[in-house]
């Protein structure tokens, strides 16, 4: 892994940093293809929106691009990560005591996921953990990801690639590392993220592009039963792209050609 902290090679961050002490910051994880960040338009827009939601000062876009490309250019494929914290601050929760934001950019060589995950689909399970509700943070990819950590610790079966999460009221929200979508009645339906969950860059891309495939994109309350009844289900994030669901317990799906066409269009996105 190669890493820059505020533009300098380092793996050290102050023990007084608010990102370390309070999870006071945001991050994005993305693919680097020969150093170029995949889907940068959507990635930066999400980063900017999340930072604004937390009143964080965002670094210059070109500076982030230059650092990502410098770290990743020696690798055909790498995982890039941007972390922005509120920086070093005095003891206490008040934002007023914080100094300049901390900027951490890293790149790790990566072989990618098995192609069969995107082509044939993946097996998933329901998680026992229920997501808490906090509308002020809904959609934001903030640094406190303990719910995802605990949910992902619920299984060790290598045959399962993801776990699905419901909120405290029993509504479908997301996977431990992904957004989730149902194909039903000519629509791509995805959970409404107004009370919890993370809004991903691929989710934004789908919002902008599914109409080109004759589909409507809808955000709504969805139940576990809705998912089981769907014609097809798929997941997304910035590393997996799109993965169809092949199996959830006894329920089995065959990915339709339309879903594969959508996946290929995403993969070709700059």
């Amino acid at each position: 892994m190669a890493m820059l902290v505020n533009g300098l090679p380092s793996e050290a961050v102050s023990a007084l940093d608010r990102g370390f002490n309070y999870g006071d910051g945001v991050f994005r994880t993305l693919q680097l293809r020969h150093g170029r960040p995949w889907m940068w338009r959507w990635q930066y827009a999400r980063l900017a929106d999340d930072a604004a939601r937390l009143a964080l000062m965002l670094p210059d876009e070109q500076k982030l691009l230059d650092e990502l490309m410098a770290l990743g250019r020696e690798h055909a494929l790498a995982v890039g990560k941007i972390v922005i914290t509120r920086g070093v601050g005095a003891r206490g929760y008040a934002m007023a005591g914080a100094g300049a934001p901390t900027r951490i950019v890293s790149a790790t060589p990566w072989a990618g996921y098995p192609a069969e995950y995107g082509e044939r689909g993946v097996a998933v399970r329901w998680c026992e953990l229920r997501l808490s509700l906090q509308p002020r943070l809904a959609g934001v990819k903030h640094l406190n990801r303990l719910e995802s950590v605990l949910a992902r610790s619920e299984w060790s079966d290598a045959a399962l690639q993801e776990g699905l999460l419901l909120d405290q009221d029993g509504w479908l929200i997301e996977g431990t590392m992904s957004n989730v979508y149902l194909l039903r009645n000519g629509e791509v339906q995805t959970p409404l993220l107004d009370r919890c969950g993370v809004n991903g860059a691929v989710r934004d891309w789908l919002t902008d592009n599914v109409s080109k495939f004759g589909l409507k994109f809808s955000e709504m309350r969805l139940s576990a039963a809705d998912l089981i009844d769907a014609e097809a289900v798929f997941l997304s994030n910035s590393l997996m792209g799109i993965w169809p669901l092949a199996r959830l317990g006894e329920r089995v799906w065959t990915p339709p050609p339309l879903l594969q066409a959508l996946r290929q269009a995403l993969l070709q996105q700059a």
Side-chain angles (χ1 to χ4, degrees), residues 15-80:
L16 300 177
D17 195 281
R18 290 177 62 89
F20 171 75
N21 283 286
Y22 307 125
D24 190 359
V26 296
F27 75 103
R28 305 306 301 183
T29 303
L30 60 151
Q31 287 187 38
L32 297 175
R33 300 175 174 180
H34 295 285
R36 300 196 64 84
W38 181 51
M39 295 187 62
W40 178 250
R41 168 186 161 190
W42 289 273
Q43 292 286 358
Y44 186 77
R46 286 261 43 89
L47 181 67
D49 185 71
D50 288 354
R53 292 274 301 279
L54 297 189
L56 285 169
M57 186 183 302
L58 190 64
D60 176 72
E61 179 179 2
Q62 190 60 51
K63 180 180 293 186
L64 291 174
L65 265 175
D66 289 345
E67 291 180 352
L68 283 169
M69 294 178 70
L71 294 178
R73 62 191 173 194
E74 295 182 4
H75 308 289
L77 188 62
V79 175

Side-chain angles (χ1 to χ4, degrees), residues 13 36 46 50 64 72 82 86 88 110 121 134 140 149 155 161 163 166 169 177 187 215 231 250 259 269:
V13 175
R36 300 196 64 84
R46 286 261 43 89
D50 288 354
L64 291 174
I82 301 168
R86 204 173 304 278
V88 173
W110 183 50
Q134 178 45 267
V140 177
V149 169
W155 81 93
Q161 284 76 50
L166 306 175
D169 293 332
M177 62 175 181
E187 290 186 347
L215 299 166
E231 302 157 27
E250 299 300 316
L259 183 52
Q269 177 64 53

Side-chain angles (χ1 to χ4, degrees), residues 50 53 134-140 142 193-199:
D50 288 354
R53 292 274 301 279
Q134 178 45 267
R136 283 287 299 274
L137 296 175
V140 177
H142 53 78
L193 302 181
D194 61 336
R195 304 191 302 171
C196 59
V198 174
N199 187 8

Side-chain angles (χ1 to χ4, degrees), residues 88-102:
V88 173
R91 193 195 68 80
Y93 294 137
M95 294 181 185
T102 299

Side-chain angles (χ1 to χ4, degrees), residues 149-166:
V149 169
L150 292 173
R152 181 59 186 85
S153 72
E154 291 181 16
W155 81 93
S156 57
D157 185 351
L160 297 173
Q161 284 76 50
E162 176 62 307
L164 301 180
L165 290 159
L166 306 175

Side-chain angles (χ1 to χ4, degrees), residues 124-127 130 164-167 169-174 180-182 184 191 220-233 245 248 251 253:
V124 304
R125 57 162 280 166
W126 292 111
C127 292
R130 296 292 180 262
L164 301 180
L165 290 159
L166 306 175
D167 68 16
D169 293 332
W171 295 110
L172 176 66
I173 300 298
E174 61 190 0
V180 59
Y181 314 86
L182 282 55
R184 297 198 306 171
M220 61 181 67
R221 299 271 185 252
L222 293 166
S223 67
D226 291 327
L227 185 145
I228 296 299
D229 291 340
E231 302 157 27
V233 182
L245 253 64
L248 172 59
R251 181 64 162 101
W253 291 270

Side-chain angles (χ1 to χ4, degrees), residues 229-256:
D229 291 340
E231 302 157 27
V233 182
F234 63 100
L235 310 172
S236 78
N237 73 22
S238 297
L239 298 183
M240 67 173 64
I242 287 175
W243 287 353
L245 253 64
R247 180 172 60 84
L248 172 59
E250 299 300 316
R251 181 64 162 101
V252 175
W253 291 270
T254 299

